[in-house]
Amino acid sequence: MKQTAAIIGGGVIGGGWAARFLLMGWDVRVFDPDPEATRKIGEVIVNARRSLPGLSDVALPSEGNLSFHDTMSDAVQGASWIQESVPERLPLKRKVYQALQEHCGPDAVIGSSTSGFKPSELHGCATRPEQIVVAHPFNPVYLLPLVELVPGEKTSPAMTVKAKEILTAIGMHPLHIKAEIDAHIADRLLEAVWREALWLINDGIATTEEIDDAIRYGFGLRWAQMGLFETYRIAGGEAGMRHFIEQFGPCLEWPWTKLMDVPELTDTLIDKIADQSDAQSGAMSIRELERTRDDNLVTILRGLKAQDWGAGALLNAQDQRIAGKPVLSDDLSKPIVTVERAVPLDWTDYNGHMNEARYLQAFGDASDRMMLLAGVDADYIAGGASYFTAETHIRHIDEVHAGTVIRVETQVLSGSGKKMHLFHRMLAGDRELATGEHMLIHVSLETRRACDPSPKISEALQQVATAHAALPKPHGAGKSVGVKG
Ligand SMILES: NC(=O)c1ccc[n+]([C@@H]2O[C@H](COP(=O)([O-])OP(=O)(O)OC[C@H]3O[C@@H](n4cnc5c(N)ncnc54)[C@H](O)[C@@H]3O)[C@@H](O)[C@H]2O)c1
């Protein structure tokens, strides 16, 4: 049975939480008095559907059910996670906790998205402060994994453990912050940069666009993958961190920055910033900018995934949790599902559909999965043998767009001796998208020449090939280029 999350306040942040829980297989119940909430959350979910599922290399759990409720008491029914994302006003937040604790279960985690308040401030007049934690996410919540988890003095340790487990299960990185401070960690860092940027504009030194360029062409890319300290460690060269601090530490005493002060936000300064920002980005609507942002984030995150590094390593771990261990089914009477995943944003091209090279990638992934199911795992390959692809024939039958779930079904045509002959069919529901016929040869990684696989692998492949021999010969198998059908 699906778990239930209640979303209290469905604006920018609440909408993102709703999308993440929903796409990770939770039922989501929303309460927001804004008559536009249904439309706004609907639009966020459309964007989340085109970006989040394709970030995974496996199929996400089936989507949960989304419902909107007229009262908070109704919305929290059956919820094991309640996320409060109402406007950043302490009396309002406190009133919300009082009201919802009259109706929610005592075991539910109540997370607050607050950017600035300490959990003990939120506990204020709550009837059960032990179930309230700060769970501060980052926009877009459905793509960015960080959530600052701050328990207060009265939060029960068991609730903190439960909160970590749930946040991890929905693909996030809960950063447990042990001390309560205003604005937690990340917003303090962001505010330091924001203050400095306001001065640079106020003093006429840089425009909004120049400041953005200074970040996105340079240190923003470094920060995205290593953060601050690991980056500076490398900047210290072979002498490392100590040398870096000795070299640049004294600069901190020079009057380089103005962090201790903020410019007065006069109408003139606000107009200047707003006008520069309009000139920089006004040609695109917010929804267009959001989609461009999501495309960029997915591309960076998938790059980090290929490196199994930072946020990418987190995504790989989540894929493994969802997919479980590869096991050959006892029922071999049908082709084997070797790939089930959404088409990622970075697999589509200028025609708006999946690029031909990605069909090969999906079929390559299907062959890899078949190898794994036959026992060709990392240990076997480290032992000095693997399969290499010798021949491929792909028939492109229909187009497919980002976000669509594709499935590859694999029939083993033969698995004897050094050869593994596979026929893959790619489908979206019942719609056939492509077929791929592949001949793989078992190779010694030492001599780089063909050799027989281990008896265990031979036996597994033979077992599948014998069972699949009872299936009809797949349509399109053995065809060469240009032959119809
Ligand atoms: N915007 C960000 O980048 C960001 C990032 C992290 C955390 N936060 C935090 O998230 C929270 C929400 O911020 P936001 O940017 O989503 O604001 P928002 O204004 O976009 O959304 C707030 C929503 O709460 C609804 N609301 C108002 N009163 C309510 C009530 N009594 N019960 C239920 N819903 C109610 C409003 O109708 C609105 O839809 C704040 O605490 C903020 O500090 C914001």
Side-chain angles (χ1 to χ4, degrees):
M1 207 177 86
K2 289 192 179 293
Q3 289 183 278
T4 301
I7 301 297
I8 309 300
V12 173
I13 292 302
W17 276 109
R20 183 176 274 276
F21 273 110
L22 199 67
L23 293 174
M24 288 295 172
W26 285 54
D27 287 336
V28 172
R29 300 166 71 88
V30 180
F31 170 69
D32 190 317
D34 180 357
E36 290 285 292
T38 311
R39 175 188 61 81
K40 287 185 188 165
I41 292 187
E43 287 177 6
V44 174
I45 290 171
V46 168
N47 275 355
R49 277 198 195 107
R50 69 188 274 284
S51 53
L52 177 67
L55 206 47
S56 255
D57 292 311
V58 297
L60 294 183
S62 65
E63 213 174 290
N65 180 50
L66 174 68
S67 54
F68 291 84
H69 301 267
D70 292 337
T71 59
M72 210 173 335
S73 54
D74 189 17
V76 298
Q77 289 314 308
S80 41
W81 186 284
I82 299 163
Q83 186 69 26
E84 168 276 305
S85 309
V86 303
E88 189 76 347
R89 293 200 303 274
L90 191 55
L92 172 64
K93 288 190 188 272
R94 284 181 165 174
K95 227 173 92 189
V96 164
Y97 299 135
Q98 268 189 329
L100 63 86
Q101 286 198 321
E102 281 176 28
H103 304 282
C104 74
D107 296 334
V109 180
I110 301 178
S112 171
S113 298
T114 178
S115 305
F117 297 123
K118 295 183 252 190
S120 298
E121 289 174 301
L122 301 175
H123 288 169
C125 31
T127 41
R128 290 187 302 273
E130 62 274 12
Q131 73 182 132
I132 301 173
V133 285
V134 166
H136 174 235
F138 292 80
N139 191 29
V141 183
Y142 53 84
L143 286 182
L144 293 190
L146 180 63
V147 54
E148 291 179 311
L149 183 68
V150 201
E153 269 177 31
K154 293 186 183 159
T155 309
S156 91
M159 203 52 85
T160 307
V161 170
K162 187 171 171 188
K164 275 189 196 171
E165 282 170 5
I166 292 179
L167 293 167
T168 304
I170 60 167
M172 300 188 91
H173 178 78
L175 184 64
H176 182 170
I177 298 178
K178 279 117 193 154
E180 294 188 50
I181 54 163
D182 295 320
H184 329 309
I185 296 180
D187 278 354
R188 288 208 165 195
L189 296 171
L190 285 176
E191 189 161 310
V193 178
W194 177 236
R195 278 173 195 255
E196 200 56 40
L198 290 179
W199 273 116
L200 290 169
I201 294 176
N202 185 71
D203 296 351
I205 292 166
T207 62
T208 56
E209 188 165 5
E210 285 162 353
I211 291 172
D212 286 351
D213 285 352
I215 296 171
R216 67 201 180 113
Y217 291 122
F219 66 84
L221 292 169
R222 294 195 310 215
W223 282 5
Q225 46 85 49
M226 278 190 176
L228 184 62
F229 285 95
E230 210 160 31
T231 297
Y232 280 166
R233 185 184 176 79
I234 296 173
E238 286 183 11
M241 197 68 188
R242 186 171 297 282
H243 171 68
F244 181 82
I245 294 174
E246 279 165 6
Q247 191 178 359
F248 295 106
C251 313
L252 294 176
E253 289 176 16
W254 300 348
W256 269 14
T257 63
K258 299 191 177 188
L259 276 182
M260 304 312 290
D261 205 354
V262 272
E264 195 187 335
L265 286 170
T266 58
D267 286 347
T268 317
L269 179 56
I270 293 172
D271 284 347
K272 190 173 178 182
I273 295 172
D275 289 348
Q276 289 184 0
S277 175
D278 285 349
Q280 181 185 352
S281 324
M284 286 170 97
S285 72
I286 291 298
R287 291 284 171 258
E288 283 171 325
L289 279 171
E290 281 175 352
R291 278 193 287 275
T292 302
R293 173 203 64 193
D294 289 359
D295 292 0
N296 294 339
L297 283 173
V298 166
T299 306
I300 291 173
L301 286 166
R302 289 191 58 78
L304 290 174
K305 230 180 156 189
Q307 293 300 114
D308 201 24
W309 186 264
L314 184 86
L315 286 164
N316 284 333
Q318 173 77 348
D319 280 359
Q320 271 177 20
R321 250 195 310 275
I322 295 173
K325 278 199 158 183
V327 193
L328 202 52
S329 159
D330 290 337
D331 179 12
L332 296 171
S333 62
K334 289 192 286 275
I336 298 168
V337 175
T338 44
V339 166
E340 197 169 19
R341 58 156 317 132
V343 174
L345 284 171
D346 62 336
W347 282 19
T348 53
D349 65 11
Y350 47 82
N351 290 322
H353 59 202
M354 186 160 86
N355 176 284
E356 73 206 85
R358 301 303 185 171
Y359 284 78
L360 176 57
Q361 177 159 346
F363 286 138
D365 290 346
S367 297
D368 282 351
R369 183 76 182 175
M370 195 58 236
M371 280 165 59
L372 208 53
L373 290 171
V376 184
D377 55 15
D379 286 345
Y380 184 82
I381 294 169
S386 184
Y387 280 89
F388 286 4
T389 306
E391 206 175 326
T392 294
H393 180 214
I394 294 178
R395 292 153 71 238
H396 298 267
I397 296 163
D398 207 348
E399 61 179 342
V400 61
H401 299 100
T404 306
V405 174
I406 55 170
R407 189 173 79 253
V408 177
E409 297 179 355
T410 300
Q411 188 167 338
V412 178
L413 297 181
S414 99
S416 58
K418 302 169 182 114
K419 292 181 180 169
M420 173 163 34
H421 187 179
L422 305 178
F423 191 84
H424 302 303
R425 276 180 84 215
M426 186 189 294
L427 301 128
D430 294 336
R431 194 161 62 92
E432 189 173 53
L433 303 173
T435 65
E437 190 171 353
H438 296 243
M439 180 66 80
L440 292 97
I441 306 290
H442 190 269
V443 168
S444 153
L445 294 175
E446 203 181 313
T447 64
R448 317 302 277 187
R449 292 184 182 285
C451 67
D452 282 326
S454 76
K456 210 169 136 217
I457 307 277
S458 278
E459 203 181 300
L461 270 178
Q462 205 47 59
Q463 186 197 349
V464 185
T466 307
H468 284 186
L471 295 168
K473 184 182 170 199
H475 185 68
K479 292 265 158 54
S480 52
V481 172
V483 175
K484 281 223 162 192

